[in-house]
Structures are given as structure tokens and as C-alpha cells.
Amino acid sequence: MTESPSNQLDIEATLTSLRQKQGSWVEWGQAIAQLQKAGQTPQQIFEATGFEPVQQNQVIVGAQVYTSLEKTNASEAVRSRFTQKGSDILYELRLLNNAERVAAAEFILAHNLDADMAKEVARDMKEFSRLRNLPEGFADRPGDAIAYQCWRLARQKSDLQERSRLIAKGLRFADSDTARQKIEQLLVDFTVVPKRPAPTIPFYRPDSEDQLPRLIAVVGEMPLKSAEVQAVPIVEAVEPFRIVKFAGEQAWVALPGWQTVRSAEDPIAILCQSDRLPNQSATTSEPVLVIADRHAREWDVNSYFVYDAAGEVDFGWFETQPDVKLLGKIVVVVRPKHIIDEELTKDSWQIDE
């Protein structure tokens, strides 16, 4: 879809405004968000305005946080301070809810904190909010959230210098008298509480294309009409995880990223019994999944095809150029996994033997 001249003019005017840095940083963030929504890429915006992609993201998110502060009735002092500057600080508050953002912004302003400390404030508040119950002596305030983390970490330290640093930090930021008293107790109680190690996050990175599945639309089970094959929507997977978005009724099957599957431009899947396929000599039949590429409809003597047989779907190999309508080339036929004995596989020691 092409932009209308008026839309083009708006885009050009917005880019010019950003290039000349007109308005506040909040307006910059809102303008960049509108440009990206209109189809401008971060790289295009950078080339036209000088705003680097990382900076674009910071002011967009910062502006969104600022807007939430306005909607949640933040004080005039907070709004005035962060209108002038502070996109880096407000960016760090993105993971907090609106009420927490207001409390954090007020706290940051009162203590004149920088972006690095704002990141700590947001992190400590987020962790504090995840606790099922408020810890004894600590209130639901930004300063007490920081103080609690300092108190918790200080109790785990045997190094007196590090312990003292955390105690001093906790006393500096504690909002409530009870939180201050809890931390002051550590000045006379040197008991070290062992730290419970956090479990390892189970990261996994596929190391080959075969491990990346491909999601394929299933037409249905034979017999099928040719129109049904043609009606299946084209699948567009979003990298890097090949996520597929679809609205409506449709069956899907995930296959390993085999070379034949990866190379198919518009694959579909058809369920049938193996004896429906041509040139089969086997005496027994089993269900199979026929994968065909609808994009590959040019006859090839070395390939099998899905074709239109008077409105019905059929499979065939053609020694010469056929007169029938080809619906797609068969790229692979998948048999079901062969399990010798399902009960046997439940006991891995029997398999090992």
C-alpha cells in the first residue's frame, strides 16, 4: 500500500522536526513511535534524523512512561522535572505498574538519583512486589523496598566492609522508622544467613536448522476437493522463532527443519493412507502425511505431484508433460514414528538391555 501525499508530507514534516530537535524529548518519543507505526524503520529514522535506534527505543518507552505518570496524577514537580530531561531514568521504570512508576519517580526526584540508581530502584521495587507478604518492619514504599534488599543482602555477607556498605545504603534510603530499626539491628547482630543459590535458568539454543520446526497448514484427510487445497492460507513465519499468527479455523502440524521442508516456499500437508500414493508395492497400508509445495507447480519428470482430477485431489507421477492441473509438488511423505512396543518404551532400562 502506498502512502498518500498528505501522509508523506506528515512523515517528512515529522522527520524534519526531529532532525531539528523541535519540542521536548517526550514529543520526540511520541513522534518516533508514530513514524515506526507508519512503516518507517529505525534505520530509516536514524538516517533522516540522527536518532540512533537505541536512542529511539529509549525515548519511545520513556515517553510512554511519562504519559502514564500524567494519567496517574503525578505531582507537578515530577511532571515538570521529567518534561525537561530524564528519558534514561523513566525508561528504567518501564516494568513497574502505573502506581509504582509514580512512587518511584517521586522517590527518584526527592533523592536526585541518576539512571543507574533508577534501575536499582525499579528492580528492588519489582522484587519487593513479588513477595507474598510484606516483610516484618518494611512498608510498601520505594525506600523500604531498597532498604529490604540491603538488609537481606547484608545478612548474607561475612565481609564486614561489604556488609557495612549495604547497611549504610539501607539506612540512607529507608522510608519508615521500623525499616531503619531492622537495619540498625545488623550493627550488633553479625549472624550470617547462608544465601540460597538461585536455580539455573534452562536456556537452550538450537545448533542446527533441523532443530527448528516448520509449521505447516493441514488441508485435511483424503478424499479432498482441489478447491480445498487452494483455499489453505499462505503461512508467514516471523523470525527468529518462526512464530505463526493466524485468525480462523485451521489445523497445523510441526515438522523438523529438514532441507526439503525448509526449501518449500508454500508447503501444505495432506493426510491419507499410504496405499493412495502411486507406485506402492507394500501389502499393508498406514497413515502418512504428504507434504506438497503449492509454489512448485511446474512439471518435473523426477517428481510426484498433487493434481486436480475432475475437481478431486489425487497424487501422480507423469512421464511426460500432463494435461491435468498441477496443484503442487510432493517434497516429502512422512510416516508415523515406528514404536515396537509402547509398554516397553515406558521402562528405559529394558530398552538399554
Side-chain angles (χ1 to χ4, degrees):
M1 180 185 295
T2 58
E3 297 282 351
S4 66
S6 61
N7 286 341
Q8 284 285 1
L9 181 63
D10 290 341
I11 289 175
E12 290 303 320
T14 304
L15 290 171
T16 300
S17 175
L18 286 168
R19 186 163 55 247
Q20 297 174 352
K21 289 188 167 54
Q22 299 174 6
S24 68
W25 72 265
V26 177
E27 293 170 319
W28 302 346
Q30 293 168 344
I32 293 171
Q34 290 170 353
L35 286 170
Q36 291 187 3
K37 190 173 182 180
Q40 297 287 301
T41 67
Q43 184 61 30
Q44 289 173 324
I45 296 171
F46 166 61
E47 292 172 358
T49 66
F51 281 85
E52 295 184 356
V54 172
Q55 188 182 10
Q56 293 176 39
N57 185 51
Q58 178 179 296
V59 294
I60 287 173
V61 175
Q64 292 170 346
V65 173
Y66 180 84
T67 301
S68 71
L69 293 179
E70 286 186 316
K71 291 180 177 178
T72 322
N73 298 321
S75 69
E76 176 61 32
V78 166
R79 286 183 279 126
S80 176
R81 159 68 174 81
F82 288 110
T83 301
Q84 301 166 21
K85 61 178 181 178
S87 63
D88 55 343
I89 291 175
L90 294 190
Y91 174 82
E92 300 299 344
L93 309 187
R94 63 194 183 279
L95 299 181
L96 302 178
N97 63 39
N98 288 352
E100 291 170 340
R101 288 173 180 177
V102 171
E106 300 275 6
F107 183 82
I108 289 166
L109 178 61
H111 291 270
N112 194 27
L113 303 180
D114 60 13
D116 289 336
M117 271 305 301
K119 186 174 185 177
E120 285 192 38
V121 171
R123 180 199 62 202
D124 291 348
M125 288 181 67
K126 196 67 180 175
E127 292 185 8
F128 196 68
S129 69
R130 291 184 181 131
L131 299 175
R132 181 175 298 179
N133 300 306
L134 283 177
E136 183 182 352
F138 296 92
D140 187 12
R141 302 174 190 170
D144 275 22
I146 299 172
Y148 170 74
Q149 296 300 334
C150 292
W151 173 80
R152 184 179 64 82
L153 292 173
R155 295 173 71 217
Q156 298 171 359
K157 303 293 183 182
S158 57
D159 183 290
L160 291 180
Q161 185 175 356
E162 180 64 16
R163 185 183 175 98
S164 299
R165 184 190 69 79
L166 288 165
I167 290 173
K169 181 180 176 182
L171 290 173
R172 175 191 172 192
F173 291 118
D175 278 327
S176 66
D177 291 336
T178 52
R180 201 168 282 108
Q181 291 169 7
K182 290 283 288 187
I183 295 174
E184 287 173 347
Q185 289 174 5
L186 299 180
L187 295 172
V188 293
D189 182 359
F190 296 97
T191 304
V192 175
V193 179
K195 178 182 179 181
R196 177 182 295 176
T200 302
I201 296 176
F203 283 110
Y204 177 77
R205 187 192 301 279
D207 54 14
S208 70
E209 287 288 331
D210 288 0
Q211 293 178 316
L212 294 175
R214 182 163 188 180
L215 203 59
I216 297 174
V218 180
V219 181
E221 187 169 1
M222 294 285 279
L224 295 168
K225 299 288 185 183
S226 298
E228 295 178 84
V229 171
Q230 296 169 323
V232 171
I234 296 176
V235 179
E236 293 185 9
V238 180
E239 297 294 350
F241 299 108
R242 299 184 178 175
I243 296 171
V244 171
K245 293 182 179 179
F246 181 78
E249 293 185 6
Q250 177 62 56
W252 305 89
V253 63
L255 291 182
W258 301 321
Q259 178 62 41
T260 52
V261 175
R262 291 202 311 271
S263 59
E265 293 192 34
D266 184 15
I268 57 168
I270 297 174
L271 282 163
C272 70
Q273 290 295 313
S274 57
D275 58 9
R276 289 292 300 257
L277 297 168
N279 301 331
Q280 296 298 299
S281 58
T283 56
T284 59
S285 180
E286 64 178 337
V288 293
L289 199 60
V290 178
I291 309 301
D293 185 359
R294 289 188 301 186
H295 182 78
R297 297 189 300 273
E298 212 172 297
W299 170 73
D300 171 13
V301 71
N302 295 312
S303 301
Y304 285 87
F305 288 86
V306 180
Y307 70 95
D308 174 66
E312 302 284 338
V313 170
D314 208 346
F315 310 113
W317 171 75
F318 306 97
E319 190 172 356
T320 59
Q321 177 78 46
D323 293 329
V324 297
K325 180 180 179 181
L326 301 181
L327 303 176
K329 183 174 76 172
I330 296 175
V331 295
V332 67
V333 178
V334 184
R335 299 180 186 273
K337 181 182 177 183
H338 185 56
I339 299 179
I340 300 172
D341 187 334
E342 291 189 3
E343 292 301 319
L344 183 67
T345 58
K346 293 178 182 178
D347 297 318
S348 59
W349 61 272
Q350 294 188 49
I351 298 294
D352 292 339
E353 291 182 351

